[in-house]
Amino acid sequence: RPADEKPESRMARINEAMAETVQRSDGRLLGLATIDAYAGDVAADELSRAVSDLGLVGAFVESASGNEILSAPRARPALEAAAKLNVPVFVHPVQETAQTRQFNLKGFYQTNLGRGAMNSIALAGLLEAGVFDELPTLRTCFSSFAVTAILFGGLFNMTRPDAADLLRQHVYVDTVGVHPTMMRAMIDVLGVDRLVVGTDWPVFRGYSVRDRLIEACYELELSAPYRNMIASENAKRLLGMDAFAPLG
């Protein structure tokens, strides 16, 4: 890319390339708009263009940027645009290694404890700052790394008394790692209708996601309708279209 390319030009170029990839896939792929959620009206305008003109079906955003999280005022225009357009916002966990480095944690812990913390903080911010109250049609999808905020909000009643209801209304969560223990926790708090397949490829690889998902669902003793909800139906509803083959 040009060295002096402006962020808004970069967002536009990425989204146009994604739209071209989706078009070449003959219906096999769906695309999300990449936006800098903290760019105020610029992000909102680009999301509107990406959805209305390019045919992308949601937004991909970072859970934090510098000292700001997704509930920051600068991110509000993008969230308002997503709610108005009725498209989901996929919230990516960003790496925060300051604390894990301070305590000399290495490898997996240094990378993923920080990511989990930031994803949870972003979700807690949306909940506690009243963003979900102000945008009743906003739908978000978080990584399972946001488990702390989900459990606090949904199980322990340690936050606002309506936290569990707001989470169930506004939050979907993916199956990163595809582990039955994590899946059970998410189902207990949010409901089986809010869990969607997520692979985090290429971070998690070396196994068949389909086989691992089937095994986890049987270990959880989920019925066939519930298995298909997790494998396809929930994602179809979240994305607003038929996108995935059912799980047997």
Side-chain angles (χ1 to χ4, degrees):
R1 67 177 188 267
D4 58 349
E5 183 179 27
K6 295 182 178 180
E8 55 266 34
S9 298
R10 187 177 308 124
M11 284 189 290
R13 181 170 53 81
I14 291 171
N15 293 329
E16 287 161 7
M18 175 60 72
E20 291 174 4
T21 299
V22 170
Q23 188 174 16
R24 289 198 303 268
S25 76
D26 293 325
R28 291 180 293 113
L29 298 177
L30 300 174
L32 299 177
T34 295
I35 60 170
D36 176 3
Y38 306 89
D41 291 336
V42 171
D45 290 344
E46 176 57 23
L47 178 58
S48 297
R49 185 186 78 94
V51 172
S52 301
D53 297 346
L54 301 180
L56 302 183
V57 297
F60 180 85
V61 305
E62 302 286 7
S63 55
S65 177
N67 293 324
E68 294 181 304
I69 56 176
L70 202 53
S71 54
R74 286 204 306 160
R76 195 62 54 88
L79 298 180
E80 291 173 349
K84 182 178 180 179
L85 292 162
N86 194 31
V87 295
V89 177
F90 288 76
V91 185
H92 186 258
V94 297
Q95 187 169 346
E96 168 52 68
T97 61
Q99 290 182 327
T100 47
R101 188 182 297 116
Q102 175 185 349
F103 296 112
N104 200 33
L105 290 172
K106 305 294 185 181
F108 180 89
Y109 290 107
Q110 185 177 100
T111 300
N112 293 293
L113 282 180
R115 294 175 74 207
M118 294 311 299
N119 219 208
S120 289
I121 289 169
L123 177 52
L126 293 174
L127 187 65
E128 296 297 329
V131 176
F132 291 147
D133 304 84
E134 296 172 17
L135 302 175
T137 61
L138 178 64
R139 290 172 295 139
T140 62
C141 186
F142 279 78
S143 162
S144 295
F145 283 176
V147 60
T148 304
I150 293 170
L151 291 180
F152 281 0
L155 292 182
F156 299 136
N157 294 320
M158 297 174 67
T159 60
R160 49 188 292 177
D162 59 350
D165 290 338
L166 285 170
L167 289 173
R168 293 186 184 112
Q169 180 180 348
H170 294 277
V171 177
Y172 288 73
V173 66
D174 69 18
T175 63
V176 167
V178 197
H179 194 284
T181 300
M182 185 70 79
M183 291 171 61
R184 170 54 66 193
M186 299 300 100
I187 291 171
D188 285 347
V189 177
L190 300 177
V192 70
D193 61 324
R194 296 291 166 166
L195 188 62
V196 299
V197 175
T199 65
D200 203 19
W201 186 91
V203 177
F204 288 94
R205 56 184 174 180
Y207 57 81
S208 165
V209 172
R210 181 184 178 89
D211 291 346
R212 191 157 175 160
L213 183 61
I214 291 173
E215 182 179 348
C217 285
Y218 277 107
E219 184 171 333
L220 293 171
E221 299 182 342
L222 298 177
S223 64
Y226 281 173
R227 296 197 299 272
N228 284 327
M229 286 172 67
I230 295 170
S232 62
E233 298 304 320
N234 295 339
K236 292 175 184 177
R237 184 176 65 254
L238 176 63
L239 295 168
M241 57 200 315
D242 293 340
F244 303 95
L247 183 73

